[in-house]
């Protein structure tokens, strides 16, 4: 009998991709996706614990679905980082919760669900898999109705930045074999996927510790040769591991899009040291310089944290100075959020919430202007857009992205989806661009 699954996803691209994998796996045992939790037989909350806010959202989501459990007997599960971190404690705390699925247990979800259905017993699976089975691709059997796809190339992290929970909830760094990655990308390209985004916490460290494995830049070179594929992206990179061959790849590989996401976290050397990031403000700036020399049109985005323990006014000024010098295309900025079990959670000199908020607002105001100016600078220029689908705002419009990863909306037909088209930018806004397609002879 056909059943329905509803998945609510929090957090990063890694979680979004895990949700896609879970949906494909569940399709194999007759569970189809629904967007309506009220008609679901299984509700899964795929969680994030990188900061406190998304972690809290899990508990309010669970509260929302309690009545469905009572009314319809819906099976309720929690997956992802909070599941990994809390394990059995989550079952104790939420008596109507049926399943806790850790970050390495995704491939086991169909069996765990069947076990729950048959025995009625509550399930908790949070052991770390040692042989990398959890990294195996789950490829849908029918062609994807999709223009772009994520491909996980590695999982976990060995960096242990003092603020970050990832190494504890995703486990140690593990790369997938290049052979398997190539097979997956070839198969996706064969199904009509035009763009892949290679995923990992630290993709430029790809292959580390795997004897005989190729380097990240070589992996990019090989993917660049795959027929049918038009664009390659990757995220996230760590400044410490940004090698010269990767910098040069941007000028050499035609399908590699001109965009890098390179989180810097702080512009203060003292704070960077306390964060255990392994680089200085100067060496970060020097790497950006090399990137821009190798590829002048490259768009640079980053993550930054304000209010790390011990961050003084002068440290914050150094962060603003770095932002001023780089002129990022966009920035993801966060207030420091203490995470239980990380080293920084024990640090003294906590920064007051009010100060954190003030610094965040100052930084975001500055960045807003830079992003807008950069978008406006594109006005009048013709850019290549990969059309992804209909615009959410206006049904006459389609939406896509430039190679530099900026969203462009323009009037156009849905038969453009999946095509690369030349678009003239008419207006640059804070979060997107407005354009017009260049038709033949225009
Ligand atoms: N691996 C990536 C790197 O090293 O840049 C980042 C992965 S992390 C999931 C995404 C971003 O969340 C980080 O770059 C950082 O800015 C932010 N983040 C992580 N832990 C945080 C914390 N405790 N408080 C605030 N922001 C945090
Ligand atoms: Fe977290 Fe640092 Fe690893 Fe990124 S590199 S996932 S911030 S520990």
């Amino acid at each position: 009998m056909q059943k329905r699954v509803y998945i609510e996803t929090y957090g990063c691209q890694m979680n979004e991709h895990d949700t896609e994998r879970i949906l494909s796996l569940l399709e194999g045992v007759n569970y189809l996706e629904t967007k309506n939790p009220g008609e679901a037989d299984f509700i899964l909350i795929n969680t994030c614990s990188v900061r406190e806010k998304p972690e809290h959202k899990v508990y309010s989501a669970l509260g929302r679905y309690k009545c469905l459990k009572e009314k319809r007997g819906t099976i309720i599960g929690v997956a992802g980082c909070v599941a990994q971190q809390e394990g059995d404690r989550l079952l104790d705390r939420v008596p109507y919760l049926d399943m806790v699925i850790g970050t390495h247990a995704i491939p086991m979800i169909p069996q765990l669900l069947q076990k729950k259905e048959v025995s009625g017993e509550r399930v908790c699976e949070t052991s770390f898999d040692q042989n990398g089975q959890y990294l195996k691709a789950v490829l849908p059997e029918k062609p994807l109705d999709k223009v772009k796809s994520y491909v996980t190339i590695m999982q976990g992290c060995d960096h242990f930045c003092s603020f970050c929970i990832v190494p504890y909830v995703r486990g140690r760094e593990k790369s997938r074999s290049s052979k398997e990655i190539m097979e997956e990308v070839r198969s996706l390209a064969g199904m009509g996927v035009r763009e892949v985004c290679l995923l990992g916490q630290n993709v430029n460290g790809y292959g580390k510790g795997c004897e005989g494995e190729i380097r990240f830049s070589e992996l990019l070179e090989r993917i660049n040769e795959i027929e049918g594929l038009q664009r390659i992206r990757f995220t996230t990179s760590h400044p410490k591991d940004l090698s010269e061959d990767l910098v040069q790849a941007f000028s050499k590989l035609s399908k590699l899009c001109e965009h890098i996401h390179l989180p810097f976290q702080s512009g203060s050397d003292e704070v960077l040291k306390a964060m255990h990031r392994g680089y200085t403000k100067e060496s970060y700036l020097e790497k950006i310089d090399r990137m821009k020399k190798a590829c002048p049109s490259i768009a640079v985005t980053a993550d930054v944290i304000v209010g790390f323990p011990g961050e003084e006014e002068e440290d914050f000024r150094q962060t603003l100075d770095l932002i001023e010098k780089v002129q990022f295309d966009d920035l993801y900025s966060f207030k420091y959020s203490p995470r239980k079990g990380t080293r920084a959670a024990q640090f003294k000199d906590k920064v007051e919430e009010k100060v954190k908020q003030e610094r965040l607002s100052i930084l975001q105001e500055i960045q807003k202007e830079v992003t807008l100016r950069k978008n406006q600078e594109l006005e009048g220029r013709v850019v290549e857009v990969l059309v992804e689908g209909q615009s959410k705002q206006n049904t006459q419009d389609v939406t896509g992205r430039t190679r530099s990863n900026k969203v462009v909306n323009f009037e156009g037909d849905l038969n453009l989806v999946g095509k690369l088209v030349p678009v003239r930018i008419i207006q640059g806004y804070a979060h997107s661009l407005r354009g017009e397609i260049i038709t033949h002879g225009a």
Side-chain angles (χ1 to χ4, degrees):
M1 200 182 73
Q2 191 83 81
K3 294 192 172 177
R4 300 273 164 188
V5 53
Y6 172 79
I7 308 190
E8 196 162 309
T9 310
Y10 295 99
C12 61
Q13 293 103 326
M14 207 74 81
N15 269 12
E16 280 173 33
H17 185 44
D18 282 347
T19 291
E20 289 174 1
R21 292 172 70 208
I22 296 169
L23 287 171
S24 293
L25 281 164
L26 288 176
E27 236 185 89
V29 288
N30 252 340
Y31 271 84
L32 277 196
E33 185 185 14
T34 170
K35 298 283 184 198
N36 173 8
E39 65 168 24
D41 301 283
F42 177 34
I43 293 178
L44 185 64
I45 304 164
N46 193 5
T47 61
C48 166
S49 61
V50 164
R51 285 170 296 278
E52 198 176 1
K53 221 163 151 191
E55 188 177 338
H56 280 167
K57 285 186 185 160
V58 179
Y59 294 100
S60 49
L62 281 168
R64 270 200 310 282
Y65 300 131
K66 186 176 175 205
C67 61
L68 287 175
K69 172 94 209 162
E70 289 163 356
K71 249 202 301 203
R72 309 184 67 242
T74 314
I75 296 176
I76 298 182
V78 171
C81 300
V82 177
Q84 185 66 45
Q85 190 181 288
E86 296 300 312
D88 280 320
R89 283 196 297 271
L90 209 53
L91 289 182
D92 294 342
R93 188 165 165 185
V94 187
Y96 53 91
L97 180 63
D98 298 293
M99 299 175 68
V100 173
I101 299 148
T103 51
H104 286 205
I106 286 174
M108 295 159 75
I109 289 184
Q111 294 97 292
L112 296 172
L113 184 57
Q114 279 169 341
K115 187 173 158 199
K116 165 68 204 162
E117 284 174 334
V118 173
S119 71
E121 271 173 41
R122 302 169 90 198
V123 174
C124 178
E125 181 50 70
T126 54
S127 44
F128 276 142
D129 158 34
Q130 299 305 322
N131 56 21
Q133 286 303 309
Y134 64 100
L135 282 171
K136 283 228 173 316
V138 186
L139 281 175
E141 280 163 23
K142 49 183 187 298
L144 291 170
D145 179 20
K146 254 168 64 166
V147 175
K148 52 186 198 174
S149 183
Y150 293 123
V151 173
T152 304
I153 64 163
M154 65 184 323
Q155 257 273 26
C157 184
D158 289 348
H159 278 283
F160 287 93
C161 301
S162 61
F163 53 82
C164 185
I165 196 76
V166 168
Y168 305 95
V169 291
R170 290 262 172 192
R172 306 307 297 265
E173 206 164 289
K174 180 129 188 90
S175 296
R176 280 177 75 195
S177 85
S178 50
K179 186 168 163 277
E180 241 183 74
I181 297 169
M182 292 297 292
E183 275 165 17
E184 182 174 348
V185 180
R186 263 191 220 106
S187 157
L188 288 168
M191 289 177 186
V193 168
R194 293 289 159 256
E195 176 180 309
V196 288
C197 179
L198 310 178
L199 278 186
Q201 292 298 347
N202 177 25
V203 284
N204 46 348
Y206 174 80
K208 239 195 292 172
C210 309
E211 219 176 300
E213 195 45 279
I214 57 175
R215 282 172 308 167
F216 183 55
S217 57
E218 282 178 80
L219 180 68
L220 290 173
E221 271 172 38
R222 290 189 191 180
I223 294 177
N224 195 58
E225 299 302 316
I226 292 178
E227 218 174 294
L229 191 72
Q230 310 265 21
R231 287 179 169 189
I232 309 168
R233 302 186 188 279
F234 58 82
T235 195
T236 294
S237 312
H238 194 298
K240 197 169 86 175
D241 295 332
L242 189 80
S243 57
E244 189 56 31
D245 50 330
L246 181 57
V247 171
Q248 293 310 322
F250 280 99
S251 58
K252 277 198 332 217
L253 305 181
S254 60
K255 295 178 185 172
L256 183 59
C257 291
E258 294 83 1
H259 169 227
I260 188 160
H261 185 69
L262 198 63
F264 64 96
Q265 316 298 1
S266 170
S268 151
D269 287 348
E270 248 174 76
V271 173
L272 285 171
K273 198 163 168 216
M275 286 178 162
H276 193 240
R277 288 289 291 180
Y279 53 86
T280 59
K281 177 185 174 195
E282 199 187 323
S283 66
Y284 181 87
L285 288 172
E286 192 250 326
K287 286 188 180 183
I288 295 287
D289 230 40
R290 279 201 282 135
M291 293 286 326
K292 288 187 174 170
K293 276 201 184 99
C295 179
S297 61
I298 197 158
V300 185
T301 58
D303 298 341
V304 54
I305 297 176
V306 297
F308 186 78
E311 185 189 75
E312 305 274 350
E313 274 304 317
E314 177 51 30
D315 298 306
F316 179 58
R317 257 198 299 276
Q318 291 298 327
T319 295
L320 295 184
D321 183 58
L322 188 148
I323 291 172
E324 172 68 32
K325 289 199 162 92
V326 177
Q327 299 284 298
F328 290 100
D329 288 77
D330 212 349
L331 259 185
Y332 299 85
S333 44
F334 310 104
K335 287 186 279 182
Y336 168 69
S337 166
R339 304 285 64 210
K340 208 168 66 201
T342 60
R343 278 197 295 125
Q346 313 289 334
F347 289 178
K348 298 203 169 40
D349 297 333
K350 302 263 184 299
V351 176
E352 259 180 77
E353 188 55 32
K354 187 170 142 274
V355 177
K356 281 187 202 171
Q357 186 54 54
E358 272 167 17
R359 289 181 186 167
L360 188 70
S361 306
I362 294 170
L363 187 150
Q364 288 180 338
E365 266 317 299
I366 293 173
Q367 184 57 43
K368 209 164 103 189
E369 277 182 29
V370 178
T371 303
L372 178 63
R373 180 180 47 73
K374 289 217 157 205
N375 286 348
Q376 287 173 339
E377 276 170 10
L378 290 172
E379 289 171 10
R381 295 252 304 269
V382 176
V383 293
E384 177 201 276
V385 174
L386 175 61
V387 185
E388 293 174 12
Q390 194 171 56
S391 153
K392 286 198 181 91
Q393 273 80 38
N394 184 344
T395 50
Q396 308 291 307
D397 286 353
V398 286
T399 187
R401 280 177 192 260
T402 63
R403 286 177 63 97
S404 57
N405 211 26
K406 293 178 198 281
V407 174
V408 187
N409 297 304
F410 60 98
E411 205 179 310
D413 203 273
L414 279 180
N415 64 21
L416 292 173
V417 173
K419 299 205 169 85
L420 292 174
V421 293
V423 174
R424 178 176 292 113
I425 302 303
I426 307 168
Q427 187 141 18
Y429 300 109
H431 303 290
S432 65
L433 305 164
R434 174 97 206 141
E436 62 185 3
I437 190 164
I438 310 272
T439 43
H440 223 53

